[in-house]
Every structure is written in C-alpha cells, then in structure tokens.
Amino acid sequence: MADGAGDSTGTTTLPLFPLQTVLLPGAHLPLHIFEPRYRQLTVDLVTGTVPDQEFGVIAMRTSLTREVTGLDQVHAIGCTTRLREAKRLPDGRFDVVTTGQQRFRLLDIDSEAAPYLVGTVEWVSDDPLPRGSAEAGARMAEVARGAHRRYCRSAWEHDAWTEPPADTSMADLAYQLAADCLLPMDDRQALLEQTQPLRRLRDVCRLLTRETGFLTTLRAVPAPPAELSALTRPASLN
C-alpha cells in the first residue's frame, strides 16, 4: 500500500470505506466495525500505519451492492474522515467515531494493495467566490439559518439540536446545517459535489424548506438525533 503522500500528478492514495451513506465535511460519523478487513483498517488507523488516521468514505450507488469492485458501483465524489475515538470490543469488533474532513474525487480502486480497498484520489476544492459576493453571501447565510431553525423546531425537541456558530465560514455553513437533518442520500451527495459555496447554501435552504413542509404535512417527526445515530449507524457491507 502506498504511504498516502501525493505524487507529481496531484493524486494520492487512501484506504476506502464504501458505505450506504454520504459523509459531509465536519460531520461526525459513528461506525460499528465487524468485517475482518475493516477491523484491520481500524487497527492500522489506531497504530498510525495509515497516515493522519484518515481514510475515505464513498457512497454506494445502490443498496443492492454487496462487494465493491469497480468505480461504477460508487459515487465519484467522497469525503475523507479522521478517526477520533476507537473502542475495541471483547470479540474484536470496534465502535469508532470519525469526523469528515476533505472532499475527493475517486479515480481508481485497488483491491490488492491492502486487506481493505485502497483508492487513488484527487482533492476537490470549492470554486472561488465572485468578487463583491460578501453581501449576497451574508443574506443567503441568514436565510439558510432560518430554514435550518424551522426544520429543527419541527423535527427535534428544543434541546436536541444546536445552531452552527456565528463565525462559521460560508464554505462550511451548508454542511453544518445539513449535518443533523434527515436528507435523502441523493440530496446529501449533491451537496457534497457542489463546488460553489453560494449555490450550496441556496440548495440546503431549499432542501430544508422542503423537508419542513413534509414534516408539517405528515405531522410526524423522526427519532431524536442521538437515538437516530444508534439506529442508523452505518456498517460495512463488504
């Protein structure tokens, strides 16, 4: 397995963890690790064999996929995540918590370099903000924060959610607003792939307004965030 350093073409290699979920930068991702190959990945993360305790999360295109072998089975854009906590269970399984870091585009998959999948990736950055967009960005941020408040008041108890800090950057705000909201996987993937911060804020505002309307019409609320993470904790299918 390569050491994770970038080469002259601007690419690097990362351990890959295909999941039936989309990880956004800054979001926390709890994982229950039971598959032997990903137990080994966790050991390599804990011991520092994997640089920076970081690996890539990539969303599968369909829940019918049982074994990822090619690029056509996963979305092209994923997100790295860094190990924050790891608890080894008596039977060798792990409960871990990771935090999303940086977007990447998956260029190739290697199933031979390590016991787990390894991907060749290139980093994905945001497009520069247009000159003079600060005022429009501030207005859009306030509208998006309002949509987030309305969603959370409809979905959660008053003490089950928090607003992003006031100094959250425009680039990060949409991700933080979407992090604890139950958006469909395709919508989360679209947010991950959007490289224009103002459009990403507009998109998350539209999505949260839509979901609030659903909650209000159906007069139903999802499980509290803490219970939800336990119920929907992603697990390896590989």
Side-chain angles (χ1 to χ4, degrees):
M1 174 181 170
D3 63 5
D7 61 24
S8 60
T9 65
T11 64
T12 190
T13 57
L14 287 171
L16 289 182
F17 203 144
L19 292 171
Q20 291 174 8
T21 191
V22 176
L23 177 64
L24 300 176
H28 297 305
L29 178 68
L31 292 166
H32 178 67
I33 309 295
F34 61 87
E35 175 69 21
R37 75 180 79 180
Y38 294 109
R39 292 189 195 183
Q40 183 61 54
L41 172 57
T42 305
V43 170
D44 289 351
L45 292 166
V46 170
T47 61
T49 301
V50 173
D52 300 322
Q53 295 188 313
E54 199 167 42
F55 59 100
V57 170
I58 197 84
M60 299 179 190
R61 290 189 176 275
T62 171
S63 60
L64 299 178
T65 299
R66 308 303 298 179
E67 180 80 16
V68 172
T69 58
L71 295 175
D72 60 324
Q73 296 170 302
V74 294
H75 287 275
I77 306 298
C79 183
T80 65
T81 192
R82 181 166 294 160
L83 184 69
R84 297 300 185 190
E85 302 174 24
K87 178 182 178 181
R88 186 163 191 162
L89 304 177
D91 61 1
R93 294 174 296 149
F94 287 89
D95 283 334
V96 306
V97 177
T98 73
T99 302
Q101 300 291 312
Q102 185 175 1
R103 293 174 298 174
F104 62 84
R105 177 176 288 102
L106 183 60
L107 304 176
D108 193 22
I109 294 176
D110 188 343
S111 59
E112 303 295 331
Y116 36 81
L117 294 178
V118 174
T120 300
V121 308
E122 62 182 7
W123 303 118
V124 175
S125 300
D126 273 343
D127 299 330
L129 287 168
R131 292 184 61 182
S133 64
E135 184 176 349
R139 291 198 302 269
M140 180 58 69
E142 186 55 39
V143 172
R145 284 178 177 274
H148 177 257
R149 286 191 291 270
R150 290 188 292 274
Y151 173 92
C152 290
R153 288 166 182 163
S154 298
W156 316 125
E157 297 294 336
H158 71 279
D159 59 349
W161 61 278
T162 57
E163 294 193 43
D167 60 352
T168 302
S169 70
M170 192 184 307
D172 294 335
L173 183 57
Y175 296 136
Q176 292 199 23
L177 294 176
D180 58 358
C181 299
L182 299 181
L183 299 177
M185 184 170 161
D186 286 347
D187 291 333
R188 293 175 70 86
Q189 184 67 36
L191 288 175
L192 184 67
E193 295 180 6
Q194 177 58 258
T195 59
Q196 296 189 1
L198 283 175
R199 289 185 181 178
R200 193 160 58 236
L201 273 175
R202 177 204 62 191
D203 292 345
V204 80
C205 180
R206 174 180 56 81
L207 292 171
L208 293 178
T209 299
R210 182 197 68 193
E211 295 299 309
T212 301
F214 290 159
L215 291 172
T216 303
T217 300
L218 296 174
R219 298 184 181 277
V221 298
E227 294 180 17
L228 183 74
S229 65
L231 291 171
T232 62
R233 181 175 299 172
S236 169
L237 296 179
N238 294 291

